């Protein structure tokens, strides 16, 4: 059965299953009581015990099916470095941060004349930090090569 898929089909199947597996494993963490408390958000999964048990059963069934498909179609394991993922996300953060400067916020309506002085330097600093972290994580990858 390993030759039923051409390389593009195999890659598509692998990517779809990988994204689903990542979501399932994240759900397992939430079901296990993981909480996040930031300055701007709080995340906690609140489910009755009966629903948690149901969800756990479905997740384990899905993970078993994914494992079977991996073996059945000889799907390769992605061995990506977390630094690559973070680097990409930080680059997006950098761009999004720059889009929250006062001048850019005008697209949502007229801004207060003092906004730029109160906001832009902090946003610029955060954007520079995001870009700097992205660079640091890129350097880590190059040092290992």
């Amino acid at each position: 059965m390993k030759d039923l898929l051409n390389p593009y089909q195999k890659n598509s199947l692998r990517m779809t299953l990988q994204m689903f597996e990542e979501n399932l494993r994240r759900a397992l963490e939430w079901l296990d009581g993981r909480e996040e408390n930031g300055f701007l958000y709080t995340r906690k999964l609140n489910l009755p015990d009966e629903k948690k048990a149901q969800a756990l059963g479905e997740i384990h069934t899905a993970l078993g099916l994914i494992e079977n498909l991996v073996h059945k179609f000889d799907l390769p394991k992605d061995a990506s470095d977390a630094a690559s993922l973070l680097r990409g996300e930080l680059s997006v953060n950098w761009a999004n941060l720059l889009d929250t400067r006062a001048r850019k916020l005008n697209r949502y309506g007229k801004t207060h004349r003092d906004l730029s002085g109160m906001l832009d330097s902090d946003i610029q600093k955060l954007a520079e930090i995001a870009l700097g972290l992205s660079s640091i994580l890129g350097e880590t990858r190059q040092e290992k090569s």
Side-chain angles (χ1 to χ4, degrees), residues 103-120:
R103 186 181 89 245
K104 295 282 193 160
L105 291 176
N106 275 322
R107 66 185 156 208
Y108 300 110
K110 187 169 172 42
T111 58
H112 191 279
R113 61 185 157 93
D114 296 334
L115 182 62
S116 180
M118 297 175 64
L119 176 67
D120 287 357

Side-chain angles (χ1 to χ4, degrees), residues 47-127:
L47 281 178
D49 289 342
E50 179 183 313
K51 293 288 185 187
K52 279 185 184 180
Q54 241 181 325
L56 284 170
E58 291 293 314
I59 290 169
H60 288 296
T61 298
L63 289 172
L65 289 169
I66 290 170
E67 183 180 25
N68 289 341
L69 289 168
V70 165
H71 295 298
K72 186 185 291 185
F73 292 100
D74 194 29
L75 301 175
K77 188 174 203 168
D78 179 28
S80 60
D81 182 10
S84 296
L85 178 63
L86 286 171
R87 198 172 50 254
E89 290 174 350
L90 287 163
S91 294
V92 170
N93 292 148
W94 168 78
N96 288 339
L97 283 161
L98 292 178
D99 281 345
T100 62
R101 290 175 292 183
R103 186 181 89 245
K104 295 282 193 160
L105 291 176
N106 275 322
R107 66 185 156 208
Y108 300 110
K110 187 169 172 42
T111 58
H112 191 279
R113 61 185 157 93
D114 296 334
L115 182 62
S116 180
M118 297 175 64
L119 176 67
D120 287 357
S121 64
D122 289 336
I123 291 297
Q124 185 65 39
K125 182 64 178 165
L126 289 170

